[in-house]
Amino acid sequence: MKKKEGGAKPRSRKGRVEARRGRPEPLGATLSRGGINFALFSRHATAVTLAVFAPGAEAPEFLFPLDPRLNRTGDVWHAFVAGLGPGVGYGYLLDREPNNNPRRHRYFPGRLMLDPCAHAIVGGEAWGVPREERERRPEATFGHRRGFVIEEDFDWGDDQPLNRPMSETVIYELHVRGFTRHPSSGAARPGTYAGLVERIPYLQGLGVTAVELLPVYEFEEADTSRRNPQTGEELLNYWGYNPINFFSPNASYAADNANGNQVREFKEMVRAFHRAGIEVILDVVFNHTAEGDARGPTFSFRGIDNSVYYIIDPLTGEYANYSGCGNTVNCNHPVTRELIRQCLHYWVTEMHVDGFRFDLASILGRGGDGGVLSNPPLLEHIAFDPVLAHTKIIAEAWDAAGLYQVGSFPSWQRWAEWNGKFRDDLRRFVKSDPGMIPALANRLAGSPDVYRGSGRSPLHSINFITCHDGFTLRDLVSYDRKHNEANGEDNRDGANNNHSWNCGREGETAGLDPAEAARIEGLRLRQQKNLAALLLLSRGVPMILAGDEFGRTQRGNNNAYCQDNEIGWVDWRLAERNADLVRFFRELIRFRQSFVSFRFGSFEEPQDCDCRLSFHGTEPGRPDWSWESRSLAAWFTETDGGREDIYLMANAWWEPLAFTLPELPDGRRWRLKLDTGLVSPDDILEPGAERELNEPGKYKVRSRSVVALVGSDDMRDKKKLFDYIE
């Protein structure tokens, strides 16, 4: 193997550079004494060349054609390059001769392929640069993105994943860029991992225990030529559900993103969250890649081993599209399955993340022919993987081809799920749809109708009202229909059935009679509080969408995946303007965390304590399950070293309802904790300020309101009310 003449010298080159046989494990680029070992899987390539770049160089400094007799073990091509150290870029040139099945194999001999196991990627540091512009640059002759070898030398100290119990978890879903990109964030480094660190005190004060980050590994944001028809602005794949590589943190999310520094900055962010007691959960996308269908770009997988990494028609080579994004990763192929396993291990062991939410996870249960497997190997391996044993694993239990598995997702009593039924049923109840009382009771109880049959508990239900995909909480009560015209698809994209209600006016109330505007805005505020109260006072694990706690709006856009602007960003001015709503959320989370009843982790009553949930109507013991009923009361009782009682009343009727209260034992009395029909600060009372009722034994719940009472009288109970989590 000959050294390529010319080119810049790698900064970290140590004397003479020489390629040797190397070893097939581990895959990727591995630093060791004296050089770097490179290993790449490709079953069907007949020629593989390793290309090594000096930092910033347009052309490779070295090209090492790999000898299939010397540098190949099974289906793994490998070489050890002595004299190299961290700070070099690399990639692979692959070919197949003869290409006897061009429909199955798609090799591009002159184009650099990214290593699927690269821990850092350079070339995509600048956010939003159109792909066509990148490809025109001189350094893009071989492909503008390259793997980059880094030193994994971060000082974690004693940091480890927090392993917080699910019973204590409150998840906050956010977008790394959008959370601090708006000028109102005041972040010194907006739109970055470092920018998130600046907002940790706010999240601590709110009381959330975990952040769930939309995709953070390298993705292609500039994959569309569409423009906003209203402004002419170029649209981007802003959310990041368009992965290029599964291991490497997105460089454009780092404030200092030169030479692989995004890895260090991501680790600094995780460490800062852990010091604040907040877990980090990643939204991971293994179901498809940015390479799309046959018309899409080729970055890596397609040009390395197309027929292994993707589900394709064996005759036509057409890509299966269960993801809705042009291709579907062949997740249960043994090679792909092992890649995903190694990736999850890397994020847990090297990056210290606490859990994963798997996008379109039902695809992870499909076989090589696209069929639904009864016992998917990948899902089973994740469930029983010893390294992941204490890691949170959460499924979005559906895909884009209509496979809906909420409650039936293969779980081994391990997988939790985004509970889409909770979202839909709570929305429908709060907007006063008929026939929703039985469903409401099930959701408050942790969805036993969904999860008990599979041997799971309420803590396998991730309860949510809103998420990145759909209306925000504010828009849910302000729009009857989607308004996605800014996406440039003639409002065809996004869900049509949102179970939303505009409270009498579509969109903003500017221009209305002031009294009418005040009436509508008051109702909208109350509806947001109703949804928040039912979310956080239900059994299961609650998830809040970033900005919902202060009324963030997307102007009726329910599919803002391409809106890298004020539609998609968090406007922090609203946190000041709607400080009373922030306070309501903060005290609600505090209330939830203080009482075991809401966090109870079983559908069965344990032997060592009495933890009960019973349902009532306007009269104790008489719930109204009828079609026209719009109200329900739930009595949470727990006795274990003391007694706690919470009486939750929900009225979605458009008139007030008088509830007769059940009697408490031992002379205890009901006190008011929460009433969404009252204005702040009376809507939720702080610990120790709970009020005795004007008329003991009865409470009048206002129209479209939620009320929570706590049972208290003696000094022990009063002390407990003061002893909330500080």
Side-chain angles (χ1 to χ4, degrees), residues 18-37:
E18 179 185 14
R20 302 169 186 166
R21 183 173 189 274
R23 59 189 185 277
E25 293 181 327
L27 294 177
T30 306
L31 280 168
S32 61
R33 180 175 297 180
I36 304 171
N37 191 80

Side-chain angles (χ1 to χ4, degrees), residues 211-247:
V211 290
E212 183 172 303
L213 308 181
L214 268 65
V216 299
Y217 44 49
E218 195 76 15
F219 61 85
E220 178 56 87
E221 73 275 10
D223 71 334
T224 175
S225 58
R226 284 184 292 105
R227 292 179 176 269
N228 183 331
Q230 301 165 344
T231 66
E233 173 190 17
E234 290 184 353
L235 299 175
L236 300 173
N237 198 316
Y238 163 67
W239 281 348
Y241 291 91
N242 208 26
I244 291 173
N245 178 279
F246 299 143
F247 286 80

Side-chain angles (χ1 to χ4, degrees), residues 267-284:
K267 291 178 178 180
E268 290 173 345
M269 177 198 70
V270 172
R271 185 177 60 188
F273 271 116
H274 284 177
R275 287 174 176 171
I278 298 174
E279 294 186 312
V280 177
I281 299 171
L282 301 187
D283 193 335
V284 289

Side-chain angles (χ1 to χ4, degrees), residues 177-196:
R177 179 173 169 83
F179 199 60
T180 61
R181 185 66 183 84
H182 195 281
S184 62
S185 75
R189 294 162 291 185
T192 66
Y193 306 121
L196 281 191

Side-chain angles (χ1 to χ4, degrees), residues 87 108-109 136 138 141 226 236 248 283 350 359 366 412 415 426 482 541 561 593 601 625 638 683 690 703 708:
F108 302 86
R136 287 196 297 268
T141 303
R226 284 184 292 105
L236 300 173
S248 53
D283 193 335
E350 287 293 335
D359 179 64
R366 292 185 182 271
W412 296 273
W415 283 85
L426 267 292
K482 65 185 182 183
V541 180
Y561 77 98
Q593 298 290 57
W625 306 112
E638 193 269 335
D683 52 355
E690 292 83 356
S703 63

Side-chain angles (χ1 to χ4, degrees), residues 528-543:
Q528 290 174 77
K529 292 178 181 178
N530 290 338
L531 289 160
L534 293 173
L535 169 65
L536 284 155
L537 304 184
S538 293
R539 288 178 176 170
V541 180
M543 184 182 77

Side-chain angles (χ1 to χ4, degrees), residues 62-270:
F62 304 102
L63 289 173
F64 297 113
L66 303 186
D67 186 333
R69 295 168 299 174
L70 179 67
N71 300 106
R72 183 174 185 176
T73 302
D75 294 330
V76 179
W77 301 74
H78 48 83
F80 179 81
V81 182
L84 290 183
V88 296
Y90 74 102
Y92 295 92
L93 303 169
L94 298 94
D95 198 2
R96 177 179 173 83
E97 292 294 343
N99 194 354
N100 51 22
N101 195 334
R103 293 186 179 91
R104 289 178 55 82
H105 308 304
R106 298 179 182 271
Y107 290 99
F108 302 86
R111 186 172 181 85
L112 195 77
M113 295 295 113
L114 285 170
D115 178 2
C117 296
H119 293 175
I121 289 176
V122 296
E125 294 87 350
W127 170 265
V129 178
R131 194 171 69 240
E132 294 78 7
E133 180 180 330
R134 284 183 175 138
E135 297 295 344
R136 287 196 297 268
R137 294 175 177 176
E139 65 270 20
T141 303
F142 292 88
H144 66 273
R145 283 184 171 93
R146 299 162 190 169
F148 191 81
V149 182
I150 59 172
E151 190 99 58
E152 301 276 4
D153 58 350
F154 186 74
D155 182 8
W156 284 103
D158 60 357
D159 180 85
Q160 288 292 332
L162 298 181
N163 297 326
R164 183 185 290 271
M166 288 293 258
S167 61
E168 299 176 5
T169 298
V170 177
I171 300 172
Y172 189 86
E173 189 198 33
L174 64 85
H175 187 282
V176 171
R177 179 173 169 83
F179 199 60
T180 61
R181 185 66 183 84
H182 195 281
S184 62
S185 75
R189 294 162 291 185
T192 66
Y193 306 121
L196 281 191
V197 173
E198 298 178 54
R199 278 291 165 181
I200 287 177
Y202 169 82
L203 296 171
Q204 273 187 300
L206 187 61
V208 299
T209 69
V211 290
E212 183 172 303
L213 308 181
L214 268 65
V216 299
Y217 44 49
E218 195 76 15
F219 61 85
E220 178 56 87
E221 73 275 10
D223 71 334
T224 175
S225 58
R226 284 184 292 105
R227 292 179 176 269
N228 183 331
Q230 301 165 344
T231 66
E233 173 190 17
E234 290 184 353
L235 299 175
L236 300 173
N237 198 316
Y238 163 67
W239 281 348
Y241 291 91
N242 208 26
I244 291 173
N245 178 279
F246 299 143
F247 286 80
S248 53
N250 190 357
S252 64
Y253 282 177
D256 177 8
N257 55 23
N259 299 322
N261 284 329
Q262 63 268 24
V263 177
R264 173 189 51 78
E265 191 170 314
F266 182 91
K267 291 178 178 180
E268 290 173 345
M269 177 198 70
V270 172

